[in-house]
């Protein structure tokens, strides 16, 4: 009897093994196909960047060569020098740094304070204010540009860098983002701080801000990338070339397109995208972790 049962179990085991192997091979094939698809998508994402960098190093005669060459035969670093010689590119680059960093600092202060108030304080009209804040995310910047411009002109800030900095200090997305981060802090820590005699300011500055350093870094990176590449508001508010930021400065290089020297224009593009590219490469882990921690996606 025992031999019969053992024999049946052995037969069942041999019958199951092929199915388990097939399942394992199917999963392995699916992973290989997913990996191949990701490699293809990565190549498609990198191709424009590689082509831009390659073309920025070509001579003007090779800018429109057909078929296009991925690697230049003669490296023309003079294209980068022409960018700085044709327009005050160093001054324009400095303006972008000033505007982007000033906006990042302002948004970190306002978003953290307002986010803490919405997350941890109770005050009349809190829910209504938060609904209005969320509704403001649905309003595009183009719809409010005229009243904002009139206010900027009334304060005498037109054609100055402050016209870009001050209106951007308050970010509805930043307030929402930091509110989500502050809500993840355990209430036990707040209660312990209150028992130790800490007031609201000390709880905010010594408990919440250190614990939410990751989300604050994410907000800083997202804000810097957004306003480094901003074109619409500088186009409306700025008129003097010495106040231009990088997106407007690149437009002034379009005259080289008429001479067939696309390489000079793309050299300016490479210079402008390098800070953002470096931030993405070195800080992408913090961005992913911060977004996952706050539960904000898309």
């Amino acid at each position: 009897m025992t031999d019969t049962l053992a024999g049946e179990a052995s037969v069942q085991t041999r019958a199951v093994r092929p199915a388990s192997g097939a399942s394992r091979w199917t999963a392995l094939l699916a992973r290989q196909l997913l990996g191949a698809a990701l490699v293809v998508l990565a190549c498609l994402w990198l191709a424009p960047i590689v082509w831009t960098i390659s073309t920025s190093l070509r001579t003007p005669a090779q800018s429109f060569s057909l078929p296009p060459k991925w690697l230049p035969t003669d490296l023309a670093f003079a294209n980068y020098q022409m960018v700085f010689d044709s327009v005050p590119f160093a001054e324009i680059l400095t303006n972008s740094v000033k505007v982007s960093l000033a906006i990042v600092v302002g948004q970190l202060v306002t978003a953290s304070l307002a986010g803490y108030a919405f997350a941890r304080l109770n005050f009349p009209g809190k829910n209504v204010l938060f609904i209005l804040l969320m509704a403001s995310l649905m309003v595009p910047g183009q719809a409010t540009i005229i009243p904002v411009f009139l206010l900027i002109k009334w304060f005498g800030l037109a054609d100055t860098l402050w016209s870009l900095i001050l209106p951007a200090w308050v970010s509805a997305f930043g307030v929402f983002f930091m509110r989500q981060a502050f809500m993840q802090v355990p209430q036990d820590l707040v209660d312990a701080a209150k028992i130790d005699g800490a007031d609201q300011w000390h709880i905010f500055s010594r408990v919440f801000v250190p614990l939410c350093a990751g989300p604050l870094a994410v907000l800083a990176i997202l804000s810097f990338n957004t306003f480094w590449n901003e074109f619409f508001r500088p186009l409306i508010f700025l008129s003097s070339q010495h106040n231009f930021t990088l997106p407007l400065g690149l437009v002034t290089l379009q005259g080289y397109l008429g001479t067939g020297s696309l390489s000079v224009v793309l050299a300016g593009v490479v210079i402008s995208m390098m800070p953002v590219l470096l931030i993405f490469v070195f800080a992408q882990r913090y961005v992913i972790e911060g977004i996952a921690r706050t539960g904000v996606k898309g």
Side-chain angles (χ1 to χ4, degrees), residues 2-212:
T2 304
D3 296 340
T4 304
L5 292 175
E8 291 177 354
S10 176
V11 170
Q12 290 176 357
T13 303
R14 286 196 296 269
V16 169
R17 280 178 181 171
S20 177
S23 177
R24 188 167 59 250
W25 280 106
T26 302
L28 180 61
L29 179 61
R31 285 198 297 270
Q32 295 295 333
L33 291 176
L34 178 61
L38 291 176
V39 170
V40 171
L41 290 176
C43 291
L44 292 175
W45 183 81
L46 286 173
I49 299 176
V50 174
W51 183 84
T52 300
I53 297 174
S54 171
T55 306
S56 70
L57 293 171
R58 298 177 192 172
T59 59
Q62 295 176 337
S63 298
F64 296 100
S65 62
L66 291 175
K69 299 178 180 177
W70 287 99
L71 296 176
T73 55
D74 299 321
L75 297 178
F77 291 102
N79 295 329
Y80 288 84
Q81 184 61 44
M82 291 176 68
V83 171
F84 288 91
D85 291 342
S86 55
V87 295
F89 208 75
E91 187 177 17
I92 292 172
L93 188 64
T94 304
N95 290 339
S96 280
V97 173
K98 289 179 181 177
V99 170
S100 301
L101 292 181
I103 292 175
V104 166
V105 173
Q107 284 200 358
L108 289 181
V109 174
T110 59
S112 59
L113 289 173
Y116 176 77
F118 280 117
R120 294 295 180 172
L121 301 183
N122 292 318
F123 52 89
K126 172 183 172 181
N127 293 332
V128 174
L129 286 176
F130 186 69
I131 291 173
L132 291 175
L133 176 74
M134 297 305 297
S136 68
L137 287 172
M138 304 295 111
V139 181
Q142 291 82 354
T144 59
I145 194 65
I146 292 178
V148 172
F149 176 78
L150 293 177
L151 278 175
I152 291 296
K153 188 176 181 181
W154 187 73
F155 281 111
L157 298 175
D159 195 25
T160 66
L161 298 183
W162 287 110
S163 64
L164 303 178
I165 295 171
L166 291 178
W169 270 357
V170 179
S171 166
F173 170 77
V175 175
F176 170 71
F177 187 80
M178 292 312 303
R179 173 186 176 270
Q180 297 301 108
F182 289 145
M183 290 181 68
Q184 307 300 320
V185 177
Q187 181 63 30
D188 293 343
L189 295 177
V190 179
D191 296 336
K194 287 181 178 177
I195 292 174
D196 291 340
D199 56 13
Q200 288 293 345
W201 171 251
H202 285 90
I203 294 174
F204 166 75
S205 60
R206 298 185 180 179
V207 177
F208 281 80
V209 171
L211 289 177
C212 295

Side-chain angles (χ1 to χ4, degrees), residues 188-272:
D188 293 343
L189 295 177
V190 179
D191 296 336
K194 287 181 178 177
I195 292 174
D196 291 340
D199 56 13
Q200 288 293 345
W201 171 251
H202 285 90
I203 294 174
F204 166 75
S205 60
R206 298 185 180 179
V207 177
F208 281 80
V209 171
L211 289 177
C212 295
L216 284 169
V218 172
L219 180 61
I221 293 168
L222 295 178
S223 299
F224 184 87
N225 288 346
T226 299
F227 292 100
W228 182 266
N229 296 315
E230 188 184 32
F231 178 78
F232 179 66
R233 289 192 313 135
L235 180 65
I236 301 298
F237 294 152
L238 303 179
S239 56
S240 303
Q241 192 180 53
H242 69 274
N243 285 328
F244 280 3
T245 53
L246 272 174
L248 289 183
L250 292 177
V251 173
T252 61
L253 293 175
Q254 64 183 348
Y256 280 95
L257 294 175
T259 65
S261 183
L262 179 64
S263 302
V264 177
V265 180
L266 293 184
V269 172
V270 171
I271 295 172
S272 67

